[in-house]
């Protein structure tokens, strides 16, 4: 039975390559590259794929790549990893901490990249042995955090002929060895909002003769999220959270301009559509009450990732096959944004959460300078990704003689 053999094959492959994959991840972690600047990362991946006899095709900008394993008339399943880092400081003591000032793999994309590399090497072996009943497209996507890398991959024909697509994301609230699964929406819409305020400026001794811009900006910062929560159905979980605010240079001078930037997140599509106009009218009313001018730039981000039922079932079945009974756990829809959503607007697929917490250990959070993973998650991820690709190919594949009985 293929399922039983697969587990043994993965055991043998990982016994040989797990340490090497951990070293690969640490190298990426020490050399993080931001969105659309992942040149070194792309080269490292390409070298390893080429050495395994594959033919990677680097995207035109020189960051990110696509590579097919296997061929023939069978179905095509895509596996995607994002490869970019975040513009924040690494705060870890680990020997593999970032060597780049102000850049850090704080979203685990180094792990996603390494998991997909390991999966690629395993699938290359399977293909060489004639065991791949179709084609697997490996997508090493740049610039997830921008976001926009997914659209770049699609513009380059990355989804052409692809029947289904799968992806994983590190989840530091789930123990290593487990995978969080959810059919339907699993992430949320995430937009970016920049508010600029301006006024005449003046001396802090005479706020009544000018417009007290810092005070007005502070009102906007607190009133906008508060008013929104009373104007939108709470079930939509629309939230506006500020991440940056700037105004003024001196303690005794009222500045003439200020800026605040934040994100608007939302579980629900109707509320997502209503958000920009509502925020604009609330902003204008608060600003006019304090005599300042306010403008906003509202940038639409990603829609929610909506997992297709059949693909989610395939991924769950594969994860249980690869990691054993009890490995699949339910997960909730998060308020995080993820540009994998763009792929799922075009073709069916599923996105799942890969547990990265050491059991009983610290619960980290992503997008924090302290974020780290239990590196056993790399081998787990390879098992899940490889099993998912093969399960998806088996279930629609041409090899009728192949059985897909789950492992005991
Ligand atoms: Zn992220
Ligand atoms: Zn991420």
């Amino acid at each position: 039975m293929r399922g039983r053999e697969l587990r043994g094959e993965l055991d043998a492959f990982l016994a040989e390559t797990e340490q090497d994959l951990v070293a690969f991840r640490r190298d990426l972690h020490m050399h993080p590259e931001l969105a659309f600047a992942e040149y070194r990362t792309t080269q490292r991946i390409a070298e390893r794929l080429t050495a395994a006899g594959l033919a990677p095709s680097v995207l035109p900008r020189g960051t990110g790549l696509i590579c097919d394993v296997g061929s023939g008339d069978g179905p095509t399943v895509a596996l995607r990893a994002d490869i970019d880092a975040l513009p924040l400081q690494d705060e870890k003591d680990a020997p593999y901490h970032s060597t780049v000032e102000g850049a850090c793999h704080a979203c685990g994309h180094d792990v996603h990249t390494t998991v997909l590399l390991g999966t690629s090497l395993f699938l290359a072996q399977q293909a060489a042995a004639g065991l791949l009943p179709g084609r697997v497209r490996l997508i090493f996507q740049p610039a997830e955090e921008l976001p926009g890398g997914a659209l770049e991959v699609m513009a380059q024909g990355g989804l052409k002929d692809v029947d289904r697509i799968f992806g994983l994301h590190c989840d530091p609230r789930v123990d290593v060895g487990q995978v969080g699964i959810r059919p339907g929406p699993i992430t949320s819409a995430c937009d970016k909002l920049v508010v600029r305020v301006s006024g005449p400026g003046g001396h802090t001794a005479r706020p009544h003769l000018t417009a007290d811009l810092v005070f007005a900006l502070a009102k906007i910062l607190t009133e906008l999220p508060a008013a929104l929560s009373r104007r939108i159905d709470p079930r939509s979980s629309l939230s506006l959270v500020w991440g940056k605010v700037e105004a003024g240079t001196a303690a005794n001078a009222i500045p003439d301009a200020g800026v605040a930037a934040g994100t608007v997140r939302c579980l629900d599509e109707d509320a997502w559509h209503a958000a920009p106009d509502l925020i604009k009218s609330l902003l204008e009313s608060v600003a006019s009450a304090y005599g300042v001018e306010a403008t906003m730039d509202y940038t639409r981000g990603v829609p929610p990732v909506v997992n297709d039922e059949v693909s989610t079932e395939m991924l769950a079945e594969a994860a249980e096959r690869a990691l054993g009974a009890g490995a699949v756990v339910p997960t909730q829809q998060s308020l995080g944004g993820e540009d994998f959503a763009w792929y799922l607007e075009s073709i069916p697929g599923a996105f799942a959460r890969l547990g990265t917490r050491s059991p009983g250990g610290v619960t980290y959070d992503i997008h924090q300078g302290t974020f780290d993973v239990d590196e056993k998650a790399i081998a787990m991820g390879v098992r899940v990704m490889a099993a998912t690709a093969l399960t998806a190919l088996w279930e629609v594949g041409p090899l009728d003689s192949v059985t897909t009985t789950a492992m005991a």
Side-chain angles (χ1 to χ4, degrees):
M1 286 179 279
R2 282 297 294 134
R4 196 180 299 275
E5 286 167 18
L6 174 61
R7 194 150 163 185
E9 287 162 7
L10 281 164
D11 286 345
F13 171 77
L14 287 164
E16 255 183 39
T17 55
E18 184 173 359
Q19 282 316 306
D20 178 45
L21 291 174
V22 168
F24 185 85
R25 180 258 167 167
R26 292 184 176 195
D27 175 68
L28 294 187
H29 201 86
M30 290 173 78
H31 302 95
E33 294 175 303
L34 303 184
F36 285 130
E38 310 95 331
Y39 300 102
R40 180 184 184 276
T41 307
T42 300
Q43 284 313 312
R44 288 289 186 279
I45 303 163
E47 283 162 15
R48 300 299 293 267
L49 295 177
T50 307
L54 301 174
S57 167
V58 175
L59 297 174
R61 288 177 187 237
T63 78
L65 64 85
I66 295 174
C67 183
D68 282 0
V69 189
S71 56
D73 306 325
T76 300
V77 169
L79 302 177
R80 173 271 209 170
D82 39 13
I83 68 173
D84 56 324
L86 281 163
L88 53 90
Q89 196 65 27
D90 192 335
E91 292 165 22
K92 292 189 299 297
D93 287 331
Y96 49 85
H97 69 80
S98 171
T99 59
V100 183
E101 191 67 18
C104 179
H105 266 297
C107 202
H109 297 186
D110 53 337
V111 174
H112 309 164
T113 304
T114 307
V115 164
L116 187 56
L117 174 69
T119 307
S120 310
L121 302 179
F122 177 75
L123 291 173
Q125 282 186 3
Q126 293 274 304
L131 294 171
L132 203 61
R135 184 167 53 159
V136 178
R137 177 155 309 153
L138 312 159
I139 298 175
F140 289 90
Q141 181 207 302
E144 190 283 323
E145 299 284 0
L146 210 54
L151 295 173
E152 172 83 1
V153 166
M154 290 166 75
Q156 299 307 323
L159 292 192
K160 188 166 182 294
D161 302 327
V162 175
D163 299 293
R164 284 182 199 283
I165 185 165
F166 297 93
L168 291 177
H169 201 292
C170 291
D171 188 339
R173 291 156 305 169
V174 174
D175 282 349
V176 67
Q178 294 187 319
V179 179
I181 302 270
R182 181 186 165 89
I186 186 169
T187 66
S188 302
C190 178
D191 302 340
K192 191 175 155 197
L193 172 68
V194 178
V195 167
R196 288 189 175 76
V197 290
S198 56
H203 199 291
T204 52
R206 293 176 285 280
H208 56 294
L209 297 182
T210 171
D212 189 348
L213 186 124
V214 174
F215 189 85
L217 185 54
K219 280 291 183 188
I220 288 167
L221 293 177
T222 54
E223 284 301 316
L224 239 58
L228 263 180
S229 72
R230 293 295 170 275
R231 295 284 301 277
I232 291 244
D233 186 338
R235 286 169 301 182
S236 69
S237 293
L238 184 100
S239 77
L240 162 57
V241 178
W242 304 106
K244 175 183 169 179
V245 55
E246 258 175 26
T249 51
N252 61 354
I254 294 171
D256 58 8
V259 63
T263 55
V264 177
R265 295 171 193 271
C266 186
L267 299 180
D268 174 81
E269 221 168 346
D270 289 343
W272 187 57
H273 285 296
D277 286 347
L278 184 54
I279 291 172
K280 187 162 188 286
S281 73
L282 291 171
L283 173 64
E284 281 164 0
S285 71
V286 179
S288 71
Y290 293 95
V292 296
E293 292 284 320
T295 58
M296 80 171 196
D297 282 331
Y298 195 100
T299 311
R300 278 291 193 205
V302 292
V305 170
V306 182
N307 282 331
D308 152 63
E309 298 255 350
V310 175
S311 304
T312 308
E313 188 52 42
M314 285 176 178
L315 204 160
E317 192 185 312
E320 196 150 302
R321 206 175 257 165
L323 302 181
V328 173
V329 294
T331 189
Q332 292 185 331
Q333 182 178 12
S334 78
L335 276 175
E338 164 61 65
D339 81 352
F340 192 80
W342 294 119
Y343 300 123
L344 297 192
E345 292 218 321
S346 299
I347 57 170
F351 193 69
R353 301 209 169 101
L354 177 68
T356 60
R357 177 175 59 194
S358 298
V362 184
T363 301
Y364 295 108
D365 199 1
I366 52 174
H367 289 218
Q368 301 283 317
T370 51
F371 174 72
D372 204 355
V373 303
D374 184 324
E375 289 173 319
K376 288 198 280 296
I378 294 170
M380 302 295 179
V382 171
R383 290 175 189 276
V384 174
M385 281 296 231
T388 299
L390 287 164
T391 299
L393 291 178
W394 290 335
E395 295 201 0
V396 280
L399 300 187
D400 294 329
S401 59
V402 167
T403 58
T404 58
T405 312
M407 295 167 67

